[in-house]
Amino acid sequence: MSDMAKSIVFAVCMCIVLALLLTTAATALQPRQQQNMEINRKKNVLLAVDLVSRDQRYTAEEITALYNEKIVLFGATQTGAIVEGDRVNDEPVLPIYLYIENGTIQAYIVPIETKGVWGMISGYLAIENDGSTVRGFTITRHSETPGLGGEIERQWFQENFEGKRIIDRHGTFVSVRVARGEVERQVPEEDRPHYVDGISGATLTGKLLSDGLKQVLYRYEPISIRFRDNRIEMPAG
Amino acid sequence: MKLTRTKSFKAFAEPAWTNNPINMQMLGICSALAVTIQLKTAFVMTLAMIFVITGSSLIISLMRKIIPGNIRIIVELGVIASLVILTDEFLRAYYYEISRLLSVFVGLIITNCIILGRTEGFAMSNPPHLAVMDGLGNGAGYGSVLLSVAFLRELFGSGSIFGYFVIPQSFYDAGYENMGFMLLAPAAFIIIGLMAWLQKYITGTGEEDR
């Protein structure tokens, strides 16, 4: 056999062996990986409403139990009604998580999905039942530059959002924005409730995240308004 | 024959100390900057690296007589990449939190020039037992630097070791502050530079001796 033929046979054999090996490993481990991702998602929903702490470790069972007890997924229609299921009259509804304690809604959690510098940024933003105060914010996935935009996954940045308001004094929707630098230095006093400290070296990430938050929150405004006016009706059942 | 004189020992000790891949050969710096903010990530990275480099050295060495010369580099890369993907999948299934912290850096082990360098330069021309020792030695050499850098960065940058806070509160009350600079990549650069200098000083080798 010529050298060329030998090389080709060797390469083909190697490809088959490696492909089989990797496929087996990926398929065998997939259920566990998906379970991990699901737990991580639930944990982040809980983190957004401050039901778990970032400093503590939890078992998968604890997370699942807490999640099943306190969090329910509903849909929000364009008029701001809360419904079950993900479609009403063939119109898709916005997913909304409700944190329910003793039969009353404590907060609602909005999934955030927005463009970042290198890829999508996903996370959850929880808003108190007054419809205007941010209760918490978490980032579940991003592909920002490590050390720069990647700092959005840091605790200080996410805790930054707590207590901020998405409406101004007159009740107009303004969303929450990431400031360029520190809020105390960069933002006039009356606007400070709507700004969080930015990350140096990550101006673009901050801008994209701000725009994304505004877009998402704007879509949820009908339901936020109902929360503000205390006109929330739970779906029957 | 004394243990320290055996070929196996030499294959292990040389890369682990006298010819350390990071301090002496200046290889694998990129990942050494990235994963050394905390000891935990550095430790997992070290284990992953030892697994990949030892495994690929062993496999390549076992196949060294049948690998066609004209496609050997791609064969080496294929083996390395497969082992890296296996490691990544394993971490994501069993150590999810850590795999999130390491993010892309496990995958980037593929591009760590130490591994390709050892498979091409050593495993292709040496029997399996020596190749394994060489892989372990390089892994240990890489890992020891990684862990030392991570130890210094975590201690001075965050005041903790393996996540446990070790600097007493009274220090902070007295005005001590964590060095934020330690958490940035340039700090790792400086520490590695100092360590390379220290090692060259101890072993008495310098650029001019080469």
Side-chain angles (χ1 to χ4, degrees), chain A residues 42-224:
Chain A
K42 288 180 178 166
K43 189 178 167 192
N44 272 287
V45 173
L46 293 171
L47 265 176
V49 285
D50 227 10
L51 276 172
V52 295
S53 136
R54 285 188 170 84
D55 310 319
Q56 231 175 305
R57 296 182 67 91
Y58 299 89
T59 63
E61 290 74 33
E62 284 169 339
I63 296 284
T64 315
L66 201 56
Y67 184 91
N68 290 344
E69 192 190 326
K70 316 259 179 177
I71 308 287
V72 196
L73 174 63
F74 284 109
T77 64
Q78 293 190 345
T79 52
I82 292 182
V83 292
E84 278 184 84
D86 54 1
R87 287 189 159 264
V88 165
N89 304 332
D90 246 16
E91 293 269 314
V93 293
L94 300 165
I96 183 166
Y97 297 88
L98 299 183
Y99 163 31
I100 298 171
E101 187 103 48
N102 303 329
T104 49
I105 303 174
Q106 304 291 323
Y108 57 104
I109 303 143
V110 173
I112 306 287
E113 184 89 10
T114 171
K115 220 170 64 183
V117 177
W118 303 119
M120 295 305 279
I121 300 175
S122 324
Y124 294 101
L125 186 80
I127 300 171
E128 301 279 5
N129 57 11
D130 63 4
S132 54
T133 314
V134 176
R135 187 182 173 111
F137 178 60
T138 56
I139 301 261
T140 47
R141 212 180 41 184
H142 71 86
S143 29
E144 302 307 288
T145 322
L148 297 173
E151 297 290 289
I152 55 172
E153 67 185 25
R154 291 292 200 91
Q155 194 170 339
W156 71 263
F157 181 74
Q158 300 183 10
E159 283 179 351
N160 223 343
F161 282 79
E162 287 167 19
K164 298 290 171 184
R165 295 177 64 80
I166 62 170
I167 51 168
D168 67 10
R169 272 175 307 168
H170 317 294
T172 325
F173 171 69
V174 287
S175 181
V176 189
R177 292 196 71 84
V178 182
R180 293 184 64 167
E182 274 174 54
V183 170
E184 283 200 6
R185 291 194 197 163
Q186 307 290 342
V187 181
E189 182 138 19
E190 70 264 26
D191 287 338
R192 284 184 195 164
H194 320 302
Y195 278 86
V196 298
D197 289 343
I199 299 157
S200 56
T203 313
L204 193 54
T205 300
K207 187 185 171 302
L208 290 168
L209 185 60
S210 301
D211 294 349
L213 281 174
K214 187 165 188 175
Q215 265 175 28
V216 173
L217 287 176
Y218 182 73
R219 265 185 271 143
Y220 282 86
E221 260 302 276
I223 186 126
S224 298

Side-chain angles (χ1 to χ4, degrees), chain A residues 3-4 6-8 10-11 14 18-19 21-22 25-30 32-34 36-38 40-41 43-44 57 139-141 146-147 151 153-154, chain B residues 37 40 63 65-71 74-76 78-79 81-83 85-86 88-97 100-101 103-105 183-184:
Chain A
D3 274 0
M4 189 61 149
K6 217 180 115 193
S7 298
I8 291 172
F10 188 90
M14 194 186 80
L18 292 182
L21 182 75
L22 292 182
T27 326
L29 294 173
Q30 199 179 29
R32 257 199 96 94
Q33 292 172 350
Q34 271 172 353
N36 284 339
M37 281 159 71
E38 181 62 13
N40 185 49
R41 188 188 67 77
K43 189 178 167 192
N44 272 287
R57 296 182 67 91
I139 301 261
T140 47
R141 212 180 41 184
E151 297 290 289
E153 67 185 25
R154 291 292 200 91
Chain B
I37 296 178
K40 197 164 86 180
M63 300 197 304
K65 290 190 176 123
I66 54 165
I67 296 175
N70 51 355
I71 55 163
I74 201 76
V75 171
E76 287 158 12
V79 170
S82 306
L83 288 176
I85 294 169
L86 279 182
D88 198 21
E89 295 275 338
F90 175 80
L91 285 179
R92 271 196 287 157
Y94 291 95
Y95 297 96
Y96 187 72
E97 289 294 312
R100 267 167 54 86
L101 285 177
S103 64
V104 297
F105 293 103
L183 302 177
L184 305 174

Side-chain angles (χ1 to χ4, degrees), chain B residues 28-192:
Chain B
I29 303 275
C30 174
S31 55
L33 301 182
V35 299
T36 50
I37 296 178
Q38 300 169 9
L39 270 166
K40 197 164 86 180
T41 48
F43 185 68
V44 176
M45 188 69 175
T46 301
L47 292 183
M49 176 75 177
I50 291 179
F51 169 72
V52 173
I53 195 167
T54 312
S56 52
S57 285
L58 174 67
I59 294 168
I60 294 297
S61 174
L62 285 171
M63 300 197 304
R64 70 188 187 283
K65 290 190 176 123
I66 54 165
I67 296 175
N70 51 355
I71 55 163
R72 65 178 197 285
I73 300 274
I74 201 76
V75 171
E76 287 158 12
L77 271 179
V79 170
I80 296 168
S82 306
L83 288 176
V84 168
I85 294 169
L86 279 182
T87 315
D88 198 21
E89 295 275 338
F90 175 80
L91 285 179
R92 271 196 287 157
Y94 291 95
Y95 297 96
Y96 187 72
E97 289 294 312
I98 290 177
S99 85
R100 267 167 54 86
L101 285 177
L102 286 170
S103 64
V104 297
F105 293 103
V106 173
L108 286 179
I109 295 180
I110 300 171
T111 64
N112 195 320
C113 33
I114 301 172
I115 306 181
L116 186 61
R118 292 330 287 173
T119 49
E120 167 70 6
F122 195 91
M124 275 302 279
S125 47
N126 284 285
H129 70 282
L130 288 183
V132 166
M133 292 314 278
D134 181 71
L136 284 173
N138 273 288
Y142 173 83
S144 60
V145 174
L146 224 59
L147 291 173
S148 322
V149 176
F151 174 78
L152 292 172
R153 286 181 78 183
E154 192 178 337
L155 179 63
F156 292 112
S158 317
S160 59
I161 290 173
F162 273 111
Y164 295 102
F165 292 95
V166 290
I167 309 253
Q169 189 57 42
S170 54
F171 274 48
Y172 289 106
D173 297 340
Y176 175 86
E177 270 187 48
N178 287 328
M179 260 170 92
F181 176 65
M182 279 289 165
L183 302 177
L184 305 174
F189 237 139
I190 291 171
I191 295 174
I192 291 174

